[in-house]
Amino acid sequence: MKRTFQSYSELAACVGSEVAVSEWIPVTQAQVDQFAEATGDHQWIHVDPERAAQGPFGGPIAHGFLTLSLLPRFFESCFAIEGARMGVNYGLNRVRFMSPVPVGSRVRARLTLLACEPLAPDGVQMTWQATIEREGADKPACVAESLTRSYGAAA
């Protein structure tokens, strides 16, 4: 369920807590193939299902950076800030790919707000811990500290 914040101060009150958990989304071979085409990363463990079936993961896996690139989708589906006119990805502090994401599996994100700092004249910079989980896995697929900025909402 998408959470809507009425102001940056309402959002800032959540620092230190888990703000949202996304819905599960499937990871398909078509997505992996499109990502390979876009990035030029055509390694067989991603794009050759027959060969990958004989490899260390028993089938094709998503690129780590594909998994990471789902962050905007998770953020968009999890929360909104009323009145914000624009949001941007500002970067990453730390990223770890902790376990593979086999094609055909489903992933979701747990979003914890670590910091929310004002940006003059009308924005905030948020630091999020995004834990991307694979359904049924013992450990996360990816843990990333993501920096985002939002502009234009009420303080």
Side-chain angles (χ1 to χ4, degrees):
M1 186 163 146
K2 191 168 187 170
R3 186 167 178 184
T4 301
F5 294 95
Q6 300 304 312
S7 65
Y8 290 141
S9 57
E10 183 182 337
L11 174 68
C14 294
V15 168
S17 65
E18 184 174 272
V19 171
V21 178
S22 76
E23 297 291 324
W24 293 104
I25 60 169
V27 176
T28 67
Q29 187 63 53
Q31 287 172 305
V32 170
D33 292 343
Q34 290 172 339
F35 191 85
E37 191 60 35
T39 63
D41 182 351
H42 297 279
Q43 189 175 167
W44 62 269
I45 62 172
H46 306 303
V47 299
D48 186 341
E50 288 181 23
R51 186 173 176 196
Q54 306 309 312
F57 305 110
I61 61 169
H63 304 74
F65 286 122
L66 169 57
T67 303
L68 183 65
S69 75
L70 296 173
L71 282 180
R73 182 173 175 180
F74 292 132
F75 285 132
E76 171 65 26
S77 70
C78 284
F79 74 92
I81 303 167
E82 192 69 37
R85 71 177 188 281
M86 179 178 69
V88 295
N89 173 9
Y90 190 62
L92 300 158
N93 285 337
R94 181 181 169 99
V95 177
R96 294 292 180 266
F97 301 110
M98 302 171 74
S99 67
V101 176
V103 168
S105 59
R106 297 190 323 161
V107 294
R108 71 176 177 188
R110 292 184 172 280
L111 302 175
T112 300
L113 185 61
L114 301 178
C116 185
E117 301 158 342
L119 290 173
D122 65 350
V124 293
Q125 178 170 299
M126 298 159 279
T127 304
W128 295 93
Q129 178 175 299
T131 303
I132 302 174
E133 303 172 323
R134 178 173 55 92
E135 190 173 38
D138 294 337
K139 60 183 177 178
C142 176
V143 177
E145 191 171 293
S146 175
L147 304 174
T148 60
R149 289 183 167 186
S150 178
Y151 299 94

